[in-house]
Each structure stands twice: as structure tokens, then as C-alpha cells.
């Protein structure tokens, strides 16, 4: 795939100088946290980080479930407002800090805005979690994973029936959070079933190649425009947008789990 995002990805781990009153609850290796950190870097926004230790299931602790009843990172806190879901957070940052950095989601009534919306939605719909745990449970589906074997083995033992029971116990212990805990227990139980379904994992990986084919066609159009104008192009045009954030993080994740080489075999 034709574009290089390395400099943007490197910048995403840096907390800038200044104070914009933002606190990000995140986990370093979380795909969706990476999206938000990259958006913050591109917008040039300072923020405070609060690590939520997933391996220790800190995201299930009552204090965090009160921040986000879904029990998921990232969560952004700004001036008393709590925003969760990475796409909603990026939209919030782009709206509130519209004068900082590039517009990540241009208006939909422009050609650029419509392209960004299309590719952002296309990429946001990908079941990225399936690529991750699919490569953990069926390593033969991936090549050259950058995640050490010991971590992949540990990941295979995460989210077990005991996790489901713990969530149900927490529901009984914290009545005000019972609905959230029981919903989370059901979701974890479904995740346990999903990760054992090799056929479905293979299907979602095959569907990924179809999506990347569409992305590659668009990148070819941008390449022609760059050759004609001499102006650097990104996925949807001259600006780095929310669609590029999603594509950047997707390619980074595919590299980590060992699916990148398969993705580029027919996309030089």
C-alpha cells in the first residue's frame, strides 16, 4: 500500500507541551487508543495520560466502569465531559479544537468530506479485534508477527470463563453498575465463543483483502494526482484526515500481528 505514515505514528506517542485540559484513559497496545493518540498528535494537542492496565483487568474496576459503562478504552475527559468510543473522541477533538491542526473530518458537503466519510466508515467497520486474537489462536494464519511468542501465549489465556464469573460477581457487589457488568459479561462470553470459530476468523480476514483492494484503487488515484501536481497526497486528498488515521492504525496493527505481508503481496 502506497503511502507512508511512519512519522505520524511516531508522533502519536508524544505528549506535547502546553495544557489543553485533556486526560486520556488508554492502554498502550489498544488499537482504538492508538487511533486517539494519533489524532491528538496530528492536532498538536497536549494531554495527560492515564494507563488502564488491561492485563490486570483494570478496565473492569468500578471506578473505570463509572467512566465508561462499556469497560473499554479509550476514554477522554475534558472540562468535566466524558467521551468514549474512539470515533466519537476524534470527532469531538476535531469540533472543539477546530483551529488546531488539520480538519480530520471535513464537511460532508464537500468532495473531500464525502471521500473521508466513505473511507472512514469503510475502515471503521472492520472487525480489527478478530485479526488480533485470530492471529493469537491460529498463528498459522499470520506471518512474521512482531508480538513475542510468550505474549501471544498469555493472550490466549485472557478472557476466560473465570472473567465472566468475576464480572457477574461485580454486578452483585455493585448494584448501581449491575446492568453494565452483566452486559460486559455477556460480551466477554461471546468473545470467548468467537475466538474459537476459525472459519469465521478466516472469513473476516478474506473480507479485509476486499476492503484493502478498494483502498488501493483510491491510493492509485492519489498517486496520479501527486505525479500531476507534485503535491503530496494522502488517502482522500492533500490533507491527513480521520480516514488516514484509521488506515495508519490498521496497517500498524496488521504489521504487529503478522498479517501485513499478506496484505501487500498483491499491492506493491
Amino acid at each position: 500500500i502506497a503511502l507512508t505514515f511512519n512519522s505520524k505514528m511516531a508522533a502519536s506517542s508524544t505528549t506535547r507541551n502546553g495544557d489543553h485540559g485533556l486526560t486520556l484513559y488508554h492502554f498502550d497496545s489498544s488499537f482504538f487508543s492508538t487511533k486517539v493518540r494519533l489524532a491528538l498528535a496530528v492536532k498538536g494537542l497536549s494531554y495527560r495520560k492515564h494507563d488502564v492496565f488491561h492485563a490486570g483487568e483494570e478496565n473492569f474496576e468500578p471506578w473505570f466502569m463509572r467512566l465508561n459503562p462499556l469497560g473499554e478504552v479509550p476514554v477522554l475527559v475534558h472540562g468535566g465531559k466524558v467521551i468514549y468510543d474512539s470515533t466519537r473522541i476524534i470527532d469531538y477533538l476535531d469540533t472543539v479544537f477546530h483551529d488546531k491542526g488539520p480538519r480530520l473530518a471535513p464537511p460532508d458537503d464537500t468532495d473531500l468530506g464525502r471521500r473521508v466519510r466513505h473511507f472512514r466508515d469503510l475502515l471503521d467497520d472492520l472487525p480489527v479485534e478478530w485479526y488480533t486474537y485470530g492471529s493469537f489462536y491460529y498463528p498459522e494464519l499470520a506471518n512474521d508477527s512482531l508480538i513475542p511468542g510468550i505474549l501471544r501465549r498469555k493472550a490466549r489465556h485472557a478472557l476466560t470463563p473465570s472473567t465472566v464469573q468475576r464480572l457477574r460477581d461485580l454486578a452483585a457487589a455493585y448494584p448501581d453498575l449491575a446492568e453494565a457488568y452483566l452486559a460486559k459479561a455477556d460480551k466477554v462470553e461471546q468473545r470467548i465463543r468467537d475466538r474459537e470459530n476459525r472459519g469465521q476468523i478466516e472469513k473476516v480476514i478474506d473480507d479485509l483483502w476486499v476492503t484493502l483492494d478498494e483502498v488501493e484503487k483510491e491510493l492509485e488515484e492519489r498517486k496520479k494526482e501527486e505525479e500531476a501536481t507534485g503535491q503530496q497526497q494522502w488517502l482522500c486528498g492533500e490533507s491527513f484526515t480521520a480516514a488516514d488515521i484509521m488506515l495508519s492504525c490498521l496497517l500498524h496493527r496488521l504489521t504487529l500481528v503478522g498479517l501485513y505481508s499478506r496484505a501487500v503481496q498483491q499491492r506493491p
Side-chain angles (χ1 to χ4, degrees):
I1 295 178
L3 297 179
T4 301
F5 301 97
N6 291 346
S7 61
K8 300 289 185 183
M9 289 299 297
S12 71
S13 63
T14 301
T15 302
R16 305 292 182 87
N17 294 327
D19 185 3
H20 293 101
L22 299 166
T23 300
L24 179 68
Y25 293 82
H26 77 126
F27 181 56
D28 272 345
S29 61
S30 157
F31 173 83
F32 299 101
S33 295
T34 303
K35 282 177 59 181
V36 173
R37 291 196 304 268
L38 180 52
L40 287 160
V42 171
K43 297 288 284 184
L45 298 173
S46 64
Y47 61 101
R48 296 179 179 86
K49 295 180 182 180
H50 186 114
D51 294 322
V52 180
F53 188 46
H54 266 214
E57 298 183 347
E58 189 179 5
N59 53 309
F60 300 155
E61 292 295 326
W63 71 266
F64 187 78
M65 293 291 285
R66 290 190 173 96
L67 269 182
N68 180 4
L70 299 177
E72 299 172 349
V73 291
V75 175
L76 183 76
V77 177
H78 179 230
K81 293 183 179 179
V82 178
I83 309 101
Y84 47 86
D85 179 87
S86 59
T87 298
R88 288 181 60 234
I89 291 173
I90 291 171
D91 285 342
Y92 177 83
L93 293 172
D94 204 38
T95 300
V96 173
F97 299 100
H98 57 86
D99 58 337
K100 302 290 185 182
R103 288 304 304 266
L104 300 177
D108 287 345
D109 60 356
T110 64
D111 287 341
L112 176 60
R114 284 188 288 271
R115 282 200 299 272
V116 170
R117 175 60 58 189
H118 171 74
F119 282 100
R120 186 186 191 187
D121 290 348
L122 180 73
L123 295 168
D124 272 345
D125 284 344
L126 293 173
V128 175
E129 292 174 344
W130 286 67
Y131 313 146
T132 303
Y133 62 73
S135 70
F136 291 162
Y137 278 82
Y138 306 101
E140 65 274 14
L141 297 178
N143 301 309
D144 305 321
S145 172
L146 298 182
I147 301 173
I150 188 171
L151 295 183
R152 296 200 301 273
R153 288 191 293 274
K154 284 184 177 180
R156 288 198 288 270
H157 297 291
L159 299 183
T160 65
S162 65
T163 306
V164 177
Q165 186 57 52
R166 182 192 173 208
L167 289 165
R168 290 179 176 152
D169 290 344
L170 286 165
Y174 297 91
D176 61 315
L177 294 171
E179 184 177 355
Y181 274 125
L182 292 174
K184 190 66 177 179
D186 289 344
K187 186 172 182 179
V188 170
E189 202 165 36
Q190 183 62 51
R191 173 77 60 81
I192 292 170
R193 291 193 292 269
D194 287 344
R195 69 191 185 190
E196 296 172 356
N197 188 343
R198 176 173 175 145
Q200 184 63 23
I201 290 171
E202 290 178 333
K203 181 182 183 303
V204 298
I205 292 175
D206 287 341
D207 291 343
L208 168 64
W209 310 144
V210 175
T211 298
L212 290 180
D213 284 341
E214 181 174 347
V215 170
E216 182 66 14
K217 289 178 182 177
E218 189 69 17
L219 290 173
E220 287 296 332
E221 292 302 312
R222 301 287 84 74
K223 183 178 180 180
K224 292 175 184 176
E225 291 177 10
E226 183 168 335
E227 291 171 348
T229 65
Q231 177 67 45
Q232 181 181 18
Q233 300 287 320
W234 299 96
L235 175 57
C236 297
E238 296 180 3
S239 299
F240 189 91
T241 69
D244 297 292
I245 286 174
M246 183 60 195
L247 182 57
S248 302
C249 295
L250 175 64
L251 295 179
H252 182 252
R253 178 51 55 104
L254 295 180
T255 301
L256 280 177
V257 302
L259 288 171
Y260 183 80
S261 60
R262 290 182 61 186
V264 300
Q265 279 177 354
Q266 296 180 340
R267 301 172 184 88

